[in-house]
Amino acid sequence: MDSDFVPPSVSFQLPVIDFSDQNLKPGSSKWDEVKADVLKALEDYGCFEAFFDKLSVELNRSVFEAMEDLFELPIPTKQRNVSSKPFHGYLCHNLYESLGIDDANVLEKVNDFTQQLWPDHGNKSISETIHLFSEQLVELDLMVRRMIMESFGIENYIDEHLNSTYYLTRLMKYTSPPDDDDDDEETKLGLRSHTDKNIITILHQYQVDGLEVKTKDDKWIKVKPSQDSVLVMVGDSLCALLNGRLHSPYHRVIMTGKKTRYSTGLFSIPKTGVIIDSPEELVDKEHPRIFKPFEYTDFLHFFQTEAGRIAQSALHAFAAF
Ligand SMILES: O=C(O)CCC(=O)C(=O)O
Ligand SMILES: [Fe+2]
């Protein structure tokens, strides 16, 4: 049976880690406590749920309403959201539709995005909402990456590493599957099982569930939507940077029921020209170097080829020795 269609296991829950403590600053005892939980969760699952109270009820509502307005625009208008990078602009297939904003933590870049869609005068309130939301999630991404690098003793590289990446914010809409095809599993597939190719992904689902994550022993865990929590997940580029110390989990979206689903993703991504290679500190007799150094865009282009798409692990097919 195609592993896409093994039913999800309901009895598991991903680890939940609280990032809302005001005293969560590098060097504090709270920081070390949370850092240990992050490492354990990422070693076990490649992801965890983060409780993050900076996502207020009002901010969630504004993002949700912004997505409703954006996706209601005519398709030719949404198609003006273009990018030179693969998978970064407007995408639409089967139940899935999404818009992408590079550097959404920079207000002018979000203004450029809304200006593309509303050429007369952009959309100030939608720009500000997406910008604020992205900024908040960037804070979480930075904390998690700092914790990971400290955990593996490579904190010397933190500044260099953080300067080598940028952020993409993706807004996603999934329509409900046609009900006359109820027993055809393929029609419920919102997003096929995949690993993310970037560094860290932070996903948030709005009320309607559908996201599932695969465990190391091939069980699917359903991620429950929650107002103030998000899913933090390792991508292939981070796996490569850490010489395979953490893995990027397979995940997918399965749509059931009659509701339209909205979700958002913040993706930290290596900048063009940056070479992904593990530091010497992570290579020794017990941990020989697994991957050849590579550039992210080359990896993405490989993923677009037939060989990349059919590989069990595109990362291994592309970069393993
Ligand atoms: O919509 C979701 O929750 C998942 C999206 C996702 O996995 C992706 O964009 O890579
Ligand atoms: Fe993904």
Side-chain angles (χ1 to χ4, degrees):
M1 186 153 75
D2 185 327
S3 70
D4 266 349
F5 302 129
V6 176
S9 167
V10 281
S11 52
F12 283 94
Q13 222 217 319
L14 290 170
V16 181
I17 303 178
D18 187 358
F19 279 79
S20 61
D21 196 305
Q22 294 304 317
N23 300 318
L24 194 55
K25 296 273 155 20
S28 67
S29 56
K30 185 74 199 167
W31 175 271
D32 290 341
E33 213 178 281
V34 173
K35 182 167 84 180
D37 291 344
V38 165
L39 182 64
K40 172 91 177 72
L42 293 183
E43 283 176 341
D44 291 347
Y45 297 95
C47 65
F48 59 86
E49 271 185 57
F51 177 70
F52 191 55
D53 63 354
K54 293 234 163 96
L55 297 178
S56 65
V57 177
E58 301 79 61
L59 183 57
N60 270 324
R61 191 179 313 114
S62 310
V63 175
F64 181 79
E65 287 169 3
M67 285 198 282
E68 283 189 320
D69 289 353
L70 284 161
F71 284 110
E72 259 172 28
L73 292 169
I75 290 178
T77 306
K78 291 182 279 196
Q79 283 172 335
R80 293 208 288 263
N81 172 221
V82 287
S83 171
S84 55
K85 300 185 180 112
F87 309 116
H88 279 226
Y90 177 68
L91 298 172
C92 182
H93 53 79
N94 305 334
L95 309 177
Y96 171 85
E97 203 186 340
S98 87
L99 293 155
I101 310 140
D102 276 335
D103 301 309
N105 54 320
V106 179
L107 185 57
E108 299 82 78
K109 294 295 179 108
V110 198
N111 281 331
D112 291 347
F113 164 77
T114 54
Q115 195 78 43
Q116 274 179 325
L117 302 180
W118 289 278
D120 289 346
H121 31 73
N123 189 316
K124 191 164 179 287
S125 95
I126 288 185
S127 298
E128 283 171 1
T129 296
I130 295 172
H131 172 245
L132 177 62
F133 178 73
S134 305
E135 258 192 334
Q136 305 288 24
L137 290 184
V138 163
E139 262 188 50
L140 180 60
D141 168 276
L142 291 174
M143 282 195 277
V144 172
R145 285 203 274 164
R146 185 172 291 273
M147 286 178 179
I148 293 171
M149 296 193 77
E150 286 182 9
S151 300
F152 289 106
I154 51 170
E155 59 268 37
N156 296 352
Y157 299 95
I158 282 179
D159 290 337
E160 184 190 323
H161 169 66
L162 296 180
N163 284 331
S164 75
T165 61
Y166 70 99
Y167 295 95
L168 164 73
T169 295
R170 193 162 263 301
L171 312 174
M172 294 166 278
K173 176 185 175 184
Y174 300 77
T175 43
S176 58
D179 45 8
D180 45 325
D181 273 319
D182 243 2
D183 43 343
D184 181 0
E185 298 280 6
E186 186 77 28
T187 62
K188 296 182 186 150
L189 206 53
L191 210 55
R192 206 165 267 292
S193 173
H194 66 282
T195 59
D196 285 359
K197 306 290 170 271
N198 51 302
I199 300 282
I200 288 273
T201 300
I202 303 182
L203 293 171
H204 188 53
Q205 23 183 21
Y206 292 78
Q207 288 144 25
V208 179
D209 63 10
L211 178 62
E212 299 177 4
V213 179
K214 204 179 201 177
T215 61
K216 285 181 182 168
D217 56 355
D218 285 348
K219 294 197 171 62
W220 285 106
I221 302 182
K222 261 178 174 295
V223 183
K224 293 193 201 80
S226 142
Q227 275 285 358
D228 30 29
S229 78
V230 289
L231 186 80
V232 178
M233 188 163 55
V234 171
D236 288 338
S237 297
L238 181 59
C239 168
L241 184 73
L242 298 175
N243 199 23
R245 298 291 217 287
L246 297 178
H247 75 288
S248 47
Y250 277 88
H251 55 286
R252 66 182 183 183
V253 175
I254 300 287
M255 291 294 296
T256 50
K258 303 243 180 289
K259 289 196 179 137
T260 300
R261 173 176 184 271
Y262 290 93
S263 65
T264 50
L266 178 90
F267 302 82
S268 46
I269 301 179
K271 287 179 186 163
T272 307
V274 167
I275 301 298
I276 303 164
D277 196 11
S278 357
E280 292 297 330
E281 286 84 339
L282 294 176
V283 182
D284 56 35
K285 265 217 173 97
E286 275 165 56
H287 305 94
R289 206 173 272 282
I290 307 176
F291 304 105
K292 297 170 205 154
F294 66 89
E295 220 233 271
Y296 180 72
T297 325
D298 292 338
F299 177 35
L300 269 198
H301 283 127
F302 170 74
F303 182 58
Q304 283 189 308
T305 64
E306 178 68 9
R309 270 199 305 272
I310 61 168
Q312 166 65 21
S313 159
L315 173 63
H316 282 79
F318 176 67
F321 278 108

